[in-house]
Amino acid sequence: MAATFGIIHQFKGATVEQYENTVKVVHPDGGKGLPPGQLSHVAGTADGAIVVIALWDSEASWVSFRDGTLLPGLAKVENGPPEPPQETTFQVHNSLSA
């Protein structure tokens, strides 16, 4: 299924450890799986932030994950990011992969 919706999160001041603690709580299989509807998840560091880019099969899948899992999960993470992420969403125009 082609991605139709993308999201970029920038967790300013967050560490890799804080990111990993969060993923273990909000992703299936202790952070090793993708939630329903998420097609791709990549993360790295840039300019003092953890940057996460996720592609989804629909905006509805993203909203369901955000409201049902991510936001409640962020509140429960021990040693999580120091503040909520800056968020940019976009409609996917093109997606290529190897």
Side-chain angles (χ1 to χ4, degrees):
M1 179 179 285
T4 63
F5 188 77
I7 185 142
I8 302 168
H9 277 148
Q10 292 186 354
F11 292 88
K12 296 222 180 258
T15 65
V16 170
E17 179 184 5
Q18 290 169 327
Y19 161 77
E20 290 174 351
N21 292 342
T22 301
V23 171
K24 287 176 188 174
V25 171
V26 302
H27 275 226
D29 300 324
K32 295 179 182 150
L34 295 175
Q38 190 177 87
L39 305 173
S40 176
H41 175 106
V42 296
T45 57
D47 299 325
I50 297 292
V51 179
V52 178
I53 302 171
L55 298 179
W56 293 85
D57 64 2
S58 69
E59 186 173 357
S61 292
W62 155 245
V63 169
S64 177
F65 171 73
R66 179 193 68 201
D67 294 348
T69 304
L70 179 63
L71 293 177
L74 283 172
K76 297 176 185 175
V77 174
E78 283 189 37
N79 189 27
E83 58 186 61
Q86 291 180 331
E87 179 177 291
T88 303
T89 62
F90 60 97
Q91 295 298 318
V92 175
H93 170 72
N94 191 19
S95 176
L96 302 172
S97 60

